[in-house]
Amino acid sequence: MAKQNDSSSAMEIDHNPNSSDETNSPRFSINVLELFKSAQKQHGLRNSDYTRYRRYCTARLRRLYKSLKLTHGRGKYNKKAITAPMVTDVRYLHVILYTAERAWSHAMEKKTLPDGPTARQRSYLIGRLRKAVKWATLFQELCAIKGDSRTSFEAEAYASFMRGTLLFEQEQNWEVALKSFKNASAVYVELGKYGDEEIRHLCNDRVAEIEPNIRYCIHKIRGSNLQISEFENLGEMEGPALDMFRAKMEAVKSEARSQRAASMKELNWLGHTFSVPNAKARVAILKAQELEKDIHGPKADSTPADKRVNIYSKIVSSYEEAKNLIHSDLVTAGNSDNVKDNLSGLYKAISAIIGQLNIERYELMVNTAISKLSKVDGDRNEKVSKPEEVVHLYSMLLLVTAELSDLVSSGRDRKPEEVAVAEDCDRKSLVFKAARCFYLAKSYSLAGKRTEAYALYCRSRSLADAALQSLRSVKSPDQVMMKELQRLYNESRSNSCIEHALAVMEEEEAPEKLSKKISAVSLNGAKKPEKFLLENLDVYESAVDSSVKSMARIERFPPAFQAFARNPVVLDIVYDTIDFPSLESRTKKDRKGFLGRLWR
């Protein structure tokens, strides 16, 4: 794939024979944006794997140096600078471009580390970005001399973006950085107006990647407070140019949380108030509370289910981090009973919050799996769920609900809110048991086990009835849950009747089917109309039927019965009528007396 992108099909050479010697050199045409974007997508940056892309750039440069005979040999290193008179082949421009890409990807590799770059790594990162700017500027200068107008235009946009990225990371000269990003964006906007559909799409995506950097620079220039809400749609966008901006925004958010954590001292949970002495735990709790707005806010319904599940995972991870910090404080706490009681209550509160979030997450996963359960047509790439997957999710729901109920029920002086949560967990357990039993019955039904499916459907109906009675006893029951339970009750009843009818029909048809199968058994191995490859090896005729969408069969299996000769059976029925001669004269006789005993 990379060779195709770097081939001459993506670049053209314009030659004017009537020009002078200076202008008589060939003019190269390179689709710069298409070239490095396709390389980035095919070699790691689709998944933000900058290490893989850097290694690809290194390997690509090694091949280019070897093909251009620019290798430095085994002796003393002598740098071979690429100048304009040397550029007689488009591959010289490729060397400059991929060198800049390698330096940029190395800097981004350090920038996107999980824990962020250290001071030493940040210094190295800035150095690599300076190298990227140096090579991008050289690429711009050479393209202005050796490239056509479009190539020069794209090279100018590429160099402007690199300069803006360097200043953006250095957090200085925001005006120059803004000007560089705007120049790059303006070039891509103009390029998007001319070209085919693919070029327009690439240019529009590039402009969308640069836009958040421009807005961030404007905020820094004006000195106004940064409004994170203005960048909420950033998660829907993709592209390597956004990764540095995301890291910057995460640093801004972390700084804002740290400032807010200084004023946050307490956590309220079900009528209890606990102080949070650990500053890092406060930051983690604030991060989780910010993420909760994405799943409980006004835009939650428009967010896809997969993204909401990922958000739930991030929230739980933040609360788990706070929980571990509180546990460490609890272990190292002194002999003060008040401090230990506060930390124990805080640990219990965060554990209960995690339990509630896990219940919501599994409920969302259950709804998604059920919606995919009955899909037959539609997106072929979308995986269709099985009843066993829904059963597993309901089992996890029951486990998490039981843990939350035990956690809330523990303790001496329980608040009314805790009692209400425990009762709600008990009611939800009945609902989850009924639903799990229903989908377990569905899995048995698909397997053809009618008896088990009928019994499970009846059990599901009784559990749904018990859950309905429990919900009706509450003053203000959940109407959505009531409707779901009523639907589950009706479906369990109808499916149990269907399973009973199918079982009766199968039992009535079983003898007839068995007799047909026995009558179809032949000792002579009567041939079926189906063709086999080994039976037609001497015939020039296709054994594959185009009307049947299946693989050709090589040999009949199991093999047919064959008759073979048997040894004759001899029945000794005349044995009793034969008179055999007497053999008494040939047998030894016993001798009596003293002499007889001596001759024995």
Side-chain angles (χ1 to χ4, degrees), residues 93 98 116 152 161 179-180 207 348 367 400 412 445 494 582:
L93 297 178
Y98 281 109
S152 177
F161 174 78
K179 184 179 178 181
S180 299
V207 171
K348 174 183 175 182
N367 293 333
V400 174
R412 297 179 181 177
S445 176
S494 60
S582 178

Side-chain angles (χ1 to χ4, degrees), residues 61 94 288 295 356 385 531 555 595:
L61 285 170
H94 285 187
I295 56 176
Q356 290 174 332
S385 300
K531 297 179 181 179
E555 178 58 287
L595 293 176

Side-chain angles (χ1 to χ4, degrees), residues 271-401:
H272 295 280
T273 302
F274 305 102
S275 61
V276 187
N278 194 313
K280 293 183 179 179
R282 292 199 297 267
V283 172
I285 292 171
L286 285 173
K287 182 180 179 180
Q289 290 176 351
E290 288 177 3
L291 290 171
E292 285 184 32
K293 297 177 182 178
D294 296 335
I295 56 176
H296 296 137
K299 296 183 180 180
D301 296 335
S302 60
T303 306
D306 295 338
K307 289 187 177 180
R308 278 189 285 169
V309 170
N310 292 334
I311 293 173
Y312 271 114
S313 301
K314 292 179 182 178
I315 296 171
V316 171
S317 177
S318 297
Y319 275 121
E320 286 286 353
E321 181 182 355
K323 180 180 172 183
N324 294 333
L325 292 169
I326 293 167
H327 182 265
S328 300
D329 292 344
L330 185 60
V331 171
T332 58
N335 297 325
S336 177
D337 294 337
N338 294 331
V339 175
K340 286 189 174 181
D341 291 343
N342 178 74
L343 290 175
S344 299
L346 184 60
Y347 185 85
K348 174 183 175 182
I350 294 180
S351 300
I353 293 173
I354 292 173
Q356 290 174 332
L357 289 170
N358 281 328
I359 290 175
E360 295 177 8
R361 181 164 65 99
Y362 279 118
E363 285 179 338
L364 179 59
M365 294 171 66
V366 163
N367 293 333
T368 304
I370 291 175
S371 64
K372 295 179 180 179
L373 190 63
S374 57
K375 282 189 177 181
V376 179
D377 298 329
D379 189 2
R380 294 182 179 180
N381 296 327
E382 189 175 4
K383 183 181 178 182
V384 180
S385 300
K386 296 180 180 180
E388 292 81 358
E389 299 176 11
V390 183
V391 172
H392 173 69
L393 290 174
Y394 272 118
S395 299
M396 296 303 298
L397 264 173
L398 283 170
L399 179 62
V400 174
T401 306

Side-chain angles (χ1 to χ4, degrees), residues 129-146:
L129 283 179
R130 286 198 182 101
K131 287 285 187 182
V133 172
K134 171 189 171 183
W135 289 105
T137 305
L138 179 59
F139 180 70
Q140 176 188 357
E141 294 172 355
L142 292 178
C143 287
I145 299 173
K146 292 293 184 177

Side-chain angles (χ1 to χ4, degrees), residues 38 42 69 76 94 112 241 345 385 408 431 438 444 561-562:
S38 60
Q42 294 171 15
K69 297 182 180 180
K76 183 179 178 181
H94 285 187
T112 55
S385 300
V408 175
V431 177
F438 175 82
Y444 274 102
F561 292 106
Q562 295 181 1

Side-chain angles (χ1 to χ4, degrees), residues 452-464:
E452 292 83 353
Y454 173 77
L456 288 170
Y457 277 129
C458 293
R459 176 63 177 167
S460 175
R461 183 177 62 179
S462 62
L463 289 173

